[in-house]
Amino acid sequence: KGERDEAIREFQQAVLTNPDHLLAHYALAQLYAKSGKFEEAIATYKEVLRLFPESAEARYQLAWVYLKSNAKAQAVSEFGTLVERSPDSDLAKRSKKHLAFLQSKQEKLRPGMTSNQVMKVLGKSDPVVRRGGSVVDEEQWFLNIYDLVLRFENGRYKGYQESTRE
């Protein structure tokens, strides 16, 4: 219904009532992340992993929240742990791609760079698929090799995010 704050309150109550309610913790972590409450999301994903350490999905989401909160080292650690624990999973394959990007390109990309500057960083080995965004003067570049989307606004690099899953 789009009532995110109400949903957060309900899931908070659910985990207070039953601290071992795994799905309530997971839903709460997702809501925190979508609301930009990254510290709360991190703590809640850690609780999910305490309850269910084998959850590749929770570990993957935790890694992305770390990235969104500019904690690259922790994100790299979580992606790496996922690859170690679930090497044949689809999330491990995606994590390997994200790690390759983080370890080779991410540090060189800065918000505000022009598309030509970004292309120099990417080089010829990283083909891009360009698409217009949902708003005028917005563009997205799909980097299929890394499963990422680079976002541009008014011709300037804004940031990256994971690409949508097939």
Side-chain angles (χ1 to χ4, degrees):
K1 291 182 173 181
E3 298 174 21
R4 193 175 293 161
D5 291 338
E6 179 64 25
I8 287 173
R9 284 191 291 278
E10 291 295 326
F11 282 114
Q12 286 171 332
Q13 186 60 45
V15 298
L16 281 174
T17 303
N18 181 358
D20 293 332
H21 194 306
L22 179 64
L23 294 177
H25 281 288
Y26 188 79
L28 184 57
Q30 289 179 306
L31 287 165
Y32 282 145
K34 287 179 183 174
S35 299
K37 298 177 179 181
F38 299 134
E39 288 182 28
E40 293 92 336
I42 289 167
T44 308
Y45 277 125
K46 285 182 177 181
E47 182 62 15
V48 170
L49 289 169
R50 185 190 69 74
L51 294 169
F52 185 42
E54 299 83 29
S55 176
E57 183 69 34
R59 192 163 307 281
Y60 184 82
Q61 295 302 327
L62 175 59
W64 272 100
V65 174
Y66 275 133
L67 281 177
K68 291 174 184 174
S69 63
N70 295 315
K72 179 187 169 192
Q74 290 90 337
V76 166
S77 175
E78 293 300 333
F79 283 133
T81 299
L82 193 156
V83 169
E84 286 175 18
R85 292 187 180 182
S86 306
D88 298 325
S89 71
D90 286 338
L91 289 175
K93 291 173 188 170
R94 291 178 68 89
S95 295
K96 287 176 189 176
K97 291 179 177 187
H98 300 328
L99 284 169
F101 179 78
L102 289 167
Q103 294 166 345
S104 66
K105 307 289 181 182
Q106 186 261 346
E107 290 292 325
K108 298 172 187 167
L109 293 176
R110 300 276 182 251
M113 292 175 82
T114 67
S115 57
N116 286 339
Q117 291 169 321
V118 171
M119 283 305 298
K120 284 182 184 177
V121 170
L122 295 178
K124 293 179 182 177
S125 62
D126 298 325
V128 299
V129 177
R130 292 182 172 142
R131 294 201 182 134
S134 57
V135 179
V136 176
D137 295 325
E138 189 177 277
E139 186 175 303
Q140 296 179 347
W141 293 7
F142 291 85
L143 293 173
N144 292 331
I145 192 169
Y146 299 117
D147 275 334
L148 295 172
V149 175
L150 302 184
R151 293 178 290 113
F152 291 82
E153 196 172 276
N154 297 319
R156 299 284 180 172
Y157 175 68
K158 188 173 181 183
Y160 65 93
Q161 64 194 41
E162 68 179 318
S163 64
T164 56
R165 297 187 200 165
E166 300 279 315

